[in-house]
Amino acid sequence: MTTPPEPLTDHGLFDAVVNLCKRRGFVFPSAEIYGGIRSTYDYGPLGAQMLRNVREAWWRAMIQERDDVVPIDAAILTNPKVWEASGHLATFTDPLVDCRNCKERWRADQIDGACPNCGSTDLTEARPFNLMFKTFVGPVEEDASVAYLRPETAQGMFVNFLNVVTSMRRKPPFGIAQIGRAFRNEITPGNFVFRTREFEMMEMEFFVPPADSPRWLQYWCEERLAWYQRYGIASEKLRLRPHDTEELSHYSSGTTDVEFLFPWGWGELEGIANRTDYDLSAHEEHSGTTLEYFDQATGERYVPHVVEPAAGATRTMMAFLLAAYDEDEIGGERRTVLRLHPRIAPYQVAVLPLSKKEALTPLARDVLHRLQRYLMCEYDETQSIGRRYRRQDEIGTPYCVTVDFESLVDEQVTVRERDSTEQTRLPIDDVVHHLLERLDL
Amino acid sequence: MTTPPEPLTDHGLFDAVVNLCKRRGFVFPSAEIYGGIRSTYDYGPLGAQMLRNVREAWWRAMIQERDDVVPIDAAILTNPKVWEASGHLATFTDPLVDCRNCKERWRADQIDGACPNCGSTDLTEARPFNLMFKTFVGPVEEDASVAYLRPETAQGMFVNFLNVVTSMRRKPPFGIAQIGRAFRNEITPGNFVFRTREFEMMEMEFFVPPADSPRWLQYWCEERLAWYQRYGIASEKLRLRPHDTEELSHYSSGTTDVEFLFPWGWGELEGIANRTDYDLSAHEEHSGTTLEYFDQATGERYVPHVVEPAAGATRTMMAFLLAAYDEDEIGGERRTVLRLHPRIAPYQVAVLPLSKKEALTPLARDVLHRLQRYLMCEYDETQSIGRRYRRQDEIGTPYCVTVDFESLVDEQVTVRERDSTEQTRLPIDDVVHHLLERLDL
């Protein structure tokens, strides 16, 4: 019944997905009625649901299905000494130059000796510009009240290391994980939600005995690559890319990126780094608190090394959308379909009464309520059933349940599957079970 | 088997819960190794899980189980014109005075004519101090690049109103909901996580035809009160309190708080406000964009009125902990028990092999893996079984599953219930089903 999709050009794919995101309520420019604010986005109803599903899928794999990782949820605005110790205050910078003529400011490594605005070559020396957003806590704007919006969630795990070890009675190897917003005052954000100043991270710090960090780095590279495949990205669109020595962050002895083949080329979804004992040792030094682990069994005492898989939730969502986007033909009619994994799709089920006639409403809503207990459902009763199927295909809903006039008599409904468009007639009492089984929920 | 608990004094209750939170990993002072930062907290493993459960319970009631509310997820740093239009730039202030002698700054309504620091009465006139945190976006610190950390999530719903109506084909009455961090530069935060500068809100804006807003206000008061009861707070610890006229916010024509009886008295968990057309009209005026809804069926055109239930996630978590805390006696031994609702408790199940002996490990881990597919589980194999039960009681885990040497022979395990401490012997194959049924999951 379905014909193979025509391949989309990569540029066409990007435009198609960005357009779909806006039109169907995945992503809106932030405060669009005020002209937005550059490279800032609000997630609409479908995007908010999908982001939640991305978080949930990560939480499930990284925390729920394991017994060696625990979560935390740390403050965005914390003690600024954390950023002094982590090295962010000193080294988390981009080199900027000022044009002496027109006073514009540019990233030194992105211009060619002359101001892109006025053409002047009268530029200052490059100076480091810190990428952390700064604010003041309390009623007085003075140095003592400066605070920064966290540029990564990782430090929350390091400064809470001792508290977690003690309260949760943990010993290495074990991990602390966190999902949350982070902020970087990027000079050149862009590529839709790929690089934004405010973004959401899913990070885990895995604390291990020092000698074990290389093999744990290997382990987490494989685990994380498999996670993207598990949720529907084909393996040929994914790769692991180890960093060159000169590319490494100041804290890393080895980093491998999980990359996705974006329409503009390979781009990072996640970095998996061997942060060694860089962070814990730095916090030891700056706080004066011992952050060693004492192994009672072996009598060993050591500062654990840390392997960190750090993923971007919003760019992961974008990769899922790009990987899922497809166009094909059904019975001679062209359709757009998002072949999203059922756990990632915004809605798992749409309940569609065949017509708006009142006779169908009570039964259709009864079916809806049964399903809502377990699943995110859409209820849609306007326009032709074919058009409503297309609409659900376009937002990736894996199943539609149609209630028709026959349902009033035989207490059965039609379940339609998104990818195959196959329809199955089922007793209403079996629908919940039927769907939960197929949705792997 | 259980004896009635002795009543705790309220002060004792507060101390007991705060102590438990620190000791068992619910809440830590933020960046404690650096001496923290006043009234800022990091949520430890159990707090992070519990906060997630609070969010999920809200999402389930407000979005998943309804078909008239959709979520969004808006940026924390958005266009500052939003705060000009909303009135926050002009009116979201506290009155502050400076001491001319020692230069300290105080909230005018909280001091008594003299500086609490040096006793001087040489104070400035009170001036309004804006409670929004300010930062700069981009490389230059100038007025044109100012941005504010959102002091509420609500405005994200108002500025996206049109985009949601269009992309989701919605008509009033319908709601837009959001969970997220907000920030207020409070001069006097306090009472543990009750009032903090960074906090998490769960807000929903319900758009209705203007004439219908009073009855929707009533509806949402009842719904929201019932939600707290559904998740385990006794009705005598909850009340609805309508605001006096002089207490109303600048945008509200009527507000009712859901209050909880905290150890220090009644305190707000949630405000339910009739915001009228204040916000949409203000955004119409400031953005020049029409934010009317046109009802094709009736030909009516109107700016919807808005009823807003706005809850605090972190203070809700605190209320759940206070309401659940109990001490009783089991077989002559005193225990602490958190009688948390199973959907709110950090872990739903603990899997406990009777001993650490290797013979039990494979079976215990098999039981663990079966349960982890559906539930947040803890695995604990150290110390006596009685002590481990106490530990689970103290953090509110509703069920423990014990694997013993007999289990290797009869393929059965013991399920122990937290509140009654009743134990049931069950075939391993039935455990998942047995627990899912009892946990209402």
Side-chain angles (χ1 to χ4, degrees):
Chain A
M1 189 165 178
T2 66
T3 58
E6 282 174 33
L8 288 156
T9 66
D10 283 353
H11 186 68
L13 172 63
F14 183 69
D15 289 350
V17 167
V18 170
N19 181 288
L20 175 63
C21 279
K22 171 71 199 297
R23 188 164 36 87
R24 297 305 311 273
F26 287 85
V27 183
F28 306 129
S30 185
E32 192 178 20
I33 59 173
Y34 291 103
I37 174 171
R38 190 177 152 221
S39 288
T40 304
Y41 296 92
D42 291 343
Y43 293 84
L46 303 193
Q49 283 164 215
M50 202 173 153
L51 255 185
R52 173 174 175 260
N53 294 344
V54 169
R55 286 181 204 117
E56 283 297 300
W58 189 87
W59 179 288
R60 164 170 282 269
M62 301 297 279
I63 301 168
Q64 182 176 330
E65 293 177 349
R66 310 183 63 97
D67 69 330
D68 57 358
V69 179
V70 295
I72 67 163
D73 197 340
I76 289 172
L77 286 176
T78 187
N79 193 314
K81 288 179 191 160
V82 171
W83 309 113
E84 204 180 307
S86 70
H88 282 85
L89 258 178
T91 63
F92 192 58
T93 58
D94 274 345
L96 295 193
V97 298
D98 288 308
C99 170
R100 289 206 179 86
N101 183 44
C102 75
K103 312 297 179 201
E104 282 289 314
R105 190 167 277 185
W106 307 98
R107 233 176 88 171
D109 54 347
Q110 293 184 343
I111 65 170
D112 202 18
C115 173
N117 184 43
C118 71
S120 164
T121 55
D122 187 10
L123 307 172
T124 61
E125 285 291 290
R127 288 172 309 155
F129 169 75
N130 199 289
L131 296 178
M132 289 193 292
F133 285 99
K134 194 170 87 172
T135 191
F136 295 97
V137 174
V140 189
E141 293 194 3
E142 60 182 12
D143 284 355
S145 61
V146 164
Y148 300 93
L149 304 194
R150 66 178 174 202
E152 60 174 29
T153 68
Q155 298 303 323
M157 276 77 99
F158 298 126
V159 297
N160 283 299
F161 170 73
L162 265 195
N163 273 336
V164 171
V165 164
T166 308
S167 62
M168 302 297 288
R169 302 175 308 129
R170 291 286 159 165
K171 58 177 287 185
F174 82 96
I176 311 180
Q178 177 168 208
I179 300 174
R181 295 284 170 98
F183 301 81
R184 296 178 183 182
N185 198 358
E186 303 271 2
I187 308 305
T188 48
N191 278 338
F192 197 44
V193 299
F194 182 76
R195 188 179 304 279
T196 52
R197 292 190 171 117
E198 174 178 344
F199 54 102
E200 192 156 306
M201 300 187 83
M202 308 186 290
E203 294 194 301
M204 194 271 282
E205 312 302 318
F206 202 70
F207 300 88
V208 303
D212 296 349
S213 64
R215 76 180 173 84
W216 279 109
L217 181 63
Q218 185 59 35
Y219 170 86
W220 282 110
C221 285
E222 287 159 17
E223 279 289 304
R224 294 303 305 151
L225 186 68
W227 183 84
Y228 292 97
Q229 292 167 347
R230 172 176 173 185
Y231 288 103
I233 301 186
S235 54
E236 61 269 23
K237 294 253 177 188
L238 292 166
R239 72 174 189 193
L240 290 173
R241 188 184 65 78
H243 282 208
D244 297 332
T245 315
E246 55 274 25
E247 192 184 357
L248 292 174
S249 305
H250 62 277
Y251 51 72
S252 174
S253 77
T255 298
T256 293
D257 283 351
V258 180
E259 294 190 333
F260 174 73
L261 188 54
F262 284 96
W264 58 85
W266 291 99
E268 178 191 352
L269 290 177
E270 171 159 357
I272 302 160
N274 183 348
R275 294 182 80 128
T276 68
D277 60 353
Y278 180 88
D279 302 274
L280 288 182
S281 293
H283 287 301
E284 271 204 330
E285 196 188 317
H286 283 76
S287 69
T289 305
T290 301
L291 298 179
E292 285 175 337
Y293 178 78
F294 175 63
D295 189 332
Q296 291 186 307
T298 65
E300 279 181 296
R301 190 182 291 280
Y302 59 86
V303 176
H305 281 217
V306 172
V307 174
E308 171 198 79
T314 37
R315 59 173 66 170
T316 294
M317 170 179 151
M318 189 176 172
F320 282 143
L321 284 168
L322 288 163
Y325 188 92
D326 197 7
E327 295 178 4
D328 66 5
E329 227 174 275
I330 300 292
E333 210 188 319
R334 213 160 164 76
R335 71 164 179 169
T336 297
V337 54
L338 286 184
R339 302 190 190 279
L340 290 169
H341 187 282
R343 278 191 189 270
I344 300 295
Y347 292 110
Q348 278 79 56
V349 190
V351 176
L352 312 173
L354 190 66
S355 98
K356 270 178 101 163
K357 294 230 170 69
E358 267 173 37
L360 288 183
T361 307
L363 185 60
R365 297 195 67 82
D366 173 50
V367 172
L368 175 70
H369 292 142
R370 291 184 192 207
L371 290 165
Q372 277 176 329
R373 238 194 108 185
Y374 305 95
L375 302 166
M376 281 294 296
C377 302
E378 185 159 58
Y379 185 78
D380 187 0
E381 56 180 16
T382 59
Q383 300 186 313
S384 78
I385 190 71
R387 199 139 171 203
R388 280 182 277 163
Y389 284 152
R390 288 306 97 77
R391 210 143 60 201
Q392 296 304 325
D393 292 341
E394 198 185 21
I395 62 172
T397 310
Y399 291 96
C400 292
V401 174
T402 307
V403 180
D404 56 27
F405 292 98
E406 194 59 26
S407 306
L408 298 171
V409 184
D410 67 3
E411 296 184 16
Q412 300 206 349
V413 289
T414 302
V415 175
R416 176 201 183 254
E417 200 271 332
R418 175 193 69 200
D419 295 336
S420 67
T421 75
E422 239 170 59
Q423 305 196 5
T424 315
R425 192 84 183 163
L426 274 185
I428 289 172
D429 284 343
D430 297 348
V431 169
V432 169
H433 182 71
H434 177 88
L435 291 178
L436 289 183
E437 247 184 4
R438 270 149 197 81
L439 290 165
D440 179 34
L441 287 167
Chain B
M1 186 161 180
T2 65
T3 58
E6 282 175 33
L8 289 156
T9 66
D10 282 354
H11 186 66
L13 172 63
F14 183 69
D15 289 349
V17 167
V18 170
N19 181 287
L20 176 64
C21 279
K22 172 71 200 295
R23 187 165 36 85
R24 296 304 311 272
F26 286 85
V27 182
F28 306 129
S30 186
E32 192 178 20
I33 58 173
Y34 292 104
I37 173 171
R38 192 176 152 222
S39 289
T40 303
Y41 297 92
D42 292 342
Y43 293 84
L46 303 192
Q49 285 165 212
M50 200 172 155
L51 255 185
R52 174 174 176 259
N53 294 344
V54 169
R55 288 181 203 119
E56 283 298 300
W58 189 86
W59 180 287
R60 165 170 282 270
M62 300 297 279
I63 301 169
Q64 182 177 331
E65 293 178 349
R66 309 184 63 96
D67 70 329
D68 57 358
V69 178
V70 294
I72 66 164
D73 197 340
I76 289 171
L77 286 176
T78 188
N79 193 314
K81 287 178 191 160
V82 171
W83 309 113
E84 204 181 308
S86 69
H88 283 85
L89 259 178
T91 63
F92 193 59
T93 58
D94 273 346
L96 295 192
V97 297
D98 288 308
C99 170
R100 290 204 180 86
N101 182 44
C102 74
K103 312 299 178 200
E104 283 287 317
R105 191 167 277 186
W106 306 98
R107 233 176 88 170
D109 55 346
Q110 293 183 342
I111 64 171
D112 203 17
C115 173
N117 185 42
C118 71
S120 165
T121 55
D122 187 9
L123 307 173
T124 62
E125 286 289 291
R127 288 172 309 153
F129 169 75
N130 200 290
L131 296 177
M132 289 194 291
F133 285 100
K134 193 170 88 171
T135 190
F136 295 96
V137 174
V140 189
E141 293 195 3
E142 59 181 14
D143 284 356
S145 59
V146 164
Y148 300 94
L149 304 194
R150 66 180 174 200
E152 61 173 28
T153 69
Q155 297 302 323
M157 276 77 101
F158 298 127
V159 298
N160 283 299
F161 170 73
L162 265 196
N163 273 335
V164 172
V165 164
T166 308
S167 62
M168 303 297 288
R169 302 173 310 129
R170 292 285 160 167
K171 59 176 287 184
F174 82 97
I176 310 180
Q178 177 169 206
I179 300 174
R181 296 282 170 98
F183 301 81
R184 296 179 184 181
N185 198 358
E186 303 271 2
I187 308 305
T188 49
N191 277 338
F192 197 42
V193 300
F194 182 75
R195 187 179 304 280
T196 52
R197 292 188 171 119
E198 173 178 344
F199 54 104
E200 192 156 306
M201 301 187 83
M202 308 186 289
E203 293 194 303
M204 196 271 283
E205 311 303 319
F206 203 70
F207 300 89
V208 303
D212 297 349
S213 64
R215 76 179 173 85
W216 279 110
L217 181 62
Q218 185 58 35
Y219 169 87
W220 282 111
C221 287
E222 286 160 18
E223 279 289 304
R224 295 303 306 151
L225 186 67
W227 184 84
Y228 293 97
Q229 292 166 347
R230 172 177 173 183
Y231 289 104
I233 302 185
S235 55
E236 60 270 23
K237 294 253 178 188
L238 291 167
R239 71 174 189 193
L240 289 172
R241 187 184 65 78
H243 282 207
D244 297 333
T245 315
E246 55 274 22
E247 191 184 358
L248 291 175
S249 305
H250 61 275
Y251 52 72
S252 174
S253 78
T255 297
T256 293
D257 284 350
V258 180
E259 294 189 334
F260 174 73
L261 188 53
F262 284 95
W264 59 84
W266 291 99
E268 178 191 352
L269 290 177
E270 172 159 355
I272 303 160
N274 183 349
R275 292 182 82 129
T276 69
D277 61 352
Y278 180 89
D279 301 274
L280 287 181
S281 294
H283 286 301
E284 271 204 330
E285 195 188 318
H286 282 76
S287 70
T289 306
T290 301
L291 299 178
E292 286 175 339
Y293 179 77
F294 175 63
D295 189 330
Q296 290 185 309
T298 66
E300 278 181 295
R301 191 180 291 279
Y302 58 86
V303 176
H305 281 217
V306 171
V307 174
E308 172 199 78
T314 37
R315 58 173 66 171
T316 294
M317 170 180 151
M318 189 176 173
F320 282 142
L321 284 169
L322 288 163
Y325 189 93
D326 198 6
E327 294 176 6
D328 66 6
E329 228 174 273
I330 301 292
E333 210 190 318
R334 214 161 162 73
R335 71 164 179 169
T336 297
V337 54
L338 286 185
R339 303 191 189 277
L340 290 169
H341 187 282
R343 277 191 190 271
I344 300 295
Y347 292 109
Q348 278 80 56
V349 190
V351 176
L352 312 174
L354 191 66
S355 99
K356 270 178 101 163
K357 293 231 170 69
E358 267 174 37
L360 287 184
T361 307
L363 184 62
R365 297 196 67 84
D366 173 51
V367 172
L368 174 70
H369 292 142
R370 292 185 192 208
L371 290 164
Q372 277 177 329
R373 238 195 107 185
Y374 305 96
L375 302 167
M376 281 296 294
C377 303
E378 186 159 57
Y379 186 78
D380 187 1
E381 55 180 16
T382 59
Q383 299 185 312
S384 79
I385 191 71
R387 198 140 171 203
R388 281 182 276 164
Y389 283 153
R390 287 306 97 76
R391 210 144 59 200
Q392 296 303 325
D393 292 342
E394 198 187 23
I395 62 172
T397 310
Y399 292 96
C400 292
V401 174
T402 306
V403 179
D404 55 29
F405 291 99
E406 193 60 26
S407 305
L408 297 171
V409 183
D410 68 1
E411 296 183 17
Q412 299 205 350
V413 289
T414 303
V415 174
R416 176 204 185 251
E417 201 270 332
R418 175 193 69 200
D419 294 337
S420 66
T421 74
E422 237 171 61
Q423 304 196 5
T424 316
R425 191 85 183 161
L426 272 186
I428 290 173
D429 285 342
D430 297 348
V431 169
V432 168
H433 182 72
H434 177 89
L435 290 177
L436 289 182
E437 246 184 5
R438 270 151 197 80
L439 290 164
D440 179 34
L441 287 167

